[in-house]
Amino acid sequence: MKLSGGFSSDPDLRRIGIHPDFWYPVALSANLKKGRTLPVVFAGDPIVVVRTESGSVFALEDRCAHRQLPLHLGVVKGDQLQCNYHGWCYSSTGRLARIPYLADGGKMPEAARCVRSYPCREAFGLLFIFPGNPDLADKTEFPSIPEWSSPEYRTMYFERTLKCHYTFMHENLMDMNHQFLHRSLMGGIQPVMLNYRTGPNWTEAQYKFEGGKQHVGADFLVMGGKSDQSAIERDYELMTIRTNYPHQELTVLRAHSDVPAIRLWASYVPLDADQRTNRSFGILMVRRPKTPLILSLAWPVIRYFAQSVFEQDRLAVEAEQRAWDEQGEDWNAEVSPVLLELRKVLSRCGVPLDTEPSAAASNDRPPSMLRGDASRGQSSG
Ligand code: FES
Ligand SMILES: [Fe+2]
């Protein structure tokens, strides 16, 4: 029985599915060796990512067209994937290339001769797939992370499964007002929001931090070393957090510098069809100081600090999801203006997870994307 009402949003943000017509990371490149397969999942759809003997990658539906055996159990043969059961061989496009025990390939309808293939790319040490309309893959902007290839930065990866809707992750990072949660790690640091901006598919907030007695977090934030770029007037560290749908970025500029000391690129990829769990990927890039040894010594401490912060955030976002599960709807009583704007962006850019008419989102989507939405709605269960 409800004892108190919530501020339910319309539509309920946790019933908004992530839009499939974007590039999403599904695994770390390092986890897929040559000649091996890797099972991944996107919003309930099982997918196998394959690295051929020559090192290229492709992604297929993880079910054999014959008797539905997961293809990730199969064998990579040259540029093909051979099912582990009867040995049917698939090319990188998902077309059946060979049935080893039938000279003529057998008689079957054309549609049964292939499995779905997903556009697949490797970049920034991650494997990406395009789960939506494949015709849109080449026309859709691929994530840009210029610091990743710069020798000026050292890179650290994070990959975690969280039991919560991906939108909780966006809200959590954008919301610097929850530093109280991290008080054991960050002491009395207080974020002050300077401004926020929003657009059709993005929201951005800028914060400066005013220190308390402990400066553990702030010390990490200035780890990038003194910038050799022309100094600018700002005499405080500036943190910018931006959701650029569907991904998220955090940038820290030191005082008097316009060169990022820290960059974080993050993406939260739904795992189950209800999208109540996600695989979170993060690339943390820290600018190398003039004395490289400082960063080498600090690296394990930075990792420990980042992981500890992340686990505190996990406590919060997974509890939020459990509350949603128990209450059956979003009782979120958000008051932060930037979070309210972010929620609108996430709602507007996503797709309805259910067929209830009230869950209409996507008002501003181009017709081609709406067509992709419809087909997605039928196939994602
Ligand atoms: S189930 Fe894959 S070849 Fe038979
Ligand atoms: Fe946090």
Side-chain angles (χ1 to χ4, degrees):
M1 184 177 70
K2 282 185 185 178
L3 296 178
S4 63
F7 290 67
S8 60
S9 55
D10 186 21
D12 187 331
L13 190 54
R14 318 312 166 190
R15 294 188 195 279
I16 299 292
I18 210 162
H19 202 295
D21 287 337
F22 289 92
W23 288 95
Y24 290 97
V26 287
L28 302 185
S29 288
N31 290 341
L32 183 57
K33 307 281 182 234
K34 279 184 185 173
R36 306 300 290 266
T37 64
L38 188 67
V40 299
V41 66
F42 180 89
D45 290 344
I47 297 165
V48 55
V49 188
V50 180
R51 192 185 294 284
T52 66
E53 310 281 5
S54 61
S56 62
V57 291
F58 65 89
L60 305 177
E61 176 184 358
D62 195 10
R63 292 188 193 97
C64 179
H66 183 207
R67 299 181 71 91
Q68 315 298 302
L69 207 77
L71 283 172
H72 76 263
L73 301 174
V75 180
V76 179
K77 286 261 181 73
D79 289 338
Q80 295 182 350
L81 178 60
Q82 184 164 29
C83 178
N84 194 40
Y85 202 172
H86 309 85
W88 288 23
C89 289
Y90 295 89
S91 72
S92 62
T93 62
R95 280 191 66 81
L96 185 59
R98 192 167 64 92
I99 297 178
Y101 51 89
L102 293 178
D104 62 354
K107 290 190 172 41
M108 65 172 110
E110 185 63 21
R113 290 179 171 274
C114 59
V115 294
R116 180 178 174 183
S117 71
Y118 293 82
C120 180
R121 279 197 212 174
E122 187 164 26
F124 319 122
L126 296 173
L127 297 164
F128 286 79
I129 60 143
F130 192 90
N133 179 352
D135 293 340
L136 299 177
D138 286 342
K139 302 171 202 152
T140 301
E141 192 176 4
F142 197 78
S144 168
I145 313 176
E147 289 82 5
W148 186 84
S149 54
S150 165
E152 298 288 321
Y153 290 83
R154 186 167 176 183
T155 301
M156 183 183 291
Y157 289 91
F158 301 96
E159 185 191 19
R160 296 275 190 286
T161 294
L162 286 104
K163 294 180 192 151
C164 71
H165 195 258
Y166 65 95
T167 55
F168 286 117
M169 305 299 293
H170 279 269
E171 292 178 286
N172 175 267
L173 188 61
M174 187 71 73
D175 173 21
M176 282 295 136
N177 294 315
H178 79 264
Q179 289 307 300
F180 188 71
L181 176 70
H182 302 304
R183 60 196 177 281
S184 62
L185 295 163
M186 298 195 190
I189 292 170
Q190 286 300 321
V192 176
M193 189 193 286
L194 300 173
N195 58 61
Y196 68 92
R197 303 185 302 144
T198 193
N201 62 344
W202 59 273
T203 298
E204 181 181 280
Q206 292 197 306
Y207 295 91
K208 78 174 190 179
F209 282 82
E210 293 181 344
K213 290 203 167 56
Q214 297 176 49
H215 279 263
V216 178
D219 287 345
F220 287 125
L221 299 183
V222 299
M223 190 59 75
K226 200 173 170 74
S227 167
D228 52 7
Q229 303 287 313
S230 60
I232 55 176
E233 290 301 310
R234 182 174 32 74
D235 62 357
Y236 52 85
E237 282 126 30
L238 178 69
M239 175 183 284
T240 304
I241 302 161
R242 181 182 174 97
T243 286
N244 213 13
Y245 192 89
H247 310 301
Q248 201 167 37
E249 301 167 355
L250 179 151
T251 306
V252 176
L253 303 180
R254 290 193 65 209
H256 305 296
S257 171
D258 55 4
V259 178
I262 292 194
R263 287 268 288 151
L264 173 71
W265 182 89
S267 192
Y268 319 113
V269 183
L271 295 178
D272 58 315
D274 288 339
Q275 308 200 9
R276 295 187 197 180
T277 54
N278 78 84
R279 191 80 174 153
S280 290
F281 295 89
I283 309 177
L284 178 69
M285 291 150 282
V286 180
R287 188 167 165 83
R288 297 177 191 276
K290 285 215 166 103
T291 313
L293 184 62
I294 294 174
L295 191 57
S296 297
L297 293 174
W299 203 241
V301 184
I302 293 173
R303 184 180 295 280
Y304 173 79
F305 177 77
Q307 287 175 343
S308 302
V309 170
F310 193 89
E311 287 307 313
Q312 291 179 336
D313 285 327
R314 175 200 294 280
L315 183 110
V317 293
E318 292 190 344
E320 287 187 276
Q321 180 65 58
R322 282 196 301 278
W324 188 96
D325 293 343
E326 289 160 14
Q327 292 162 339
E329 59 184 340
D330 191 4
W331 286 20
N332 195 311
E334 187 52 62
V335 294
S336 159
V338 67
L339 282 212
L340 292 172
E341 290 303 325
L342 172 65
R343 289 161 64 84
K344 286 184 207 162
V345 166
L346 293 169
S347 179
R348 186 163 59 228
C349 293
V351 294
L353 267 179
D354 54 23
T355 53
E356 290 170 19
S358 63
S362 308
N363 294 339
D364 302 326
R365 309 302 298 183
S368 60
M369 283 187 154
L370 288 172
R371 278 199 298 278
D373 298 347
S375 63
R376 176 72 198 171
Q378 287 162 8
S379 66
S380 65

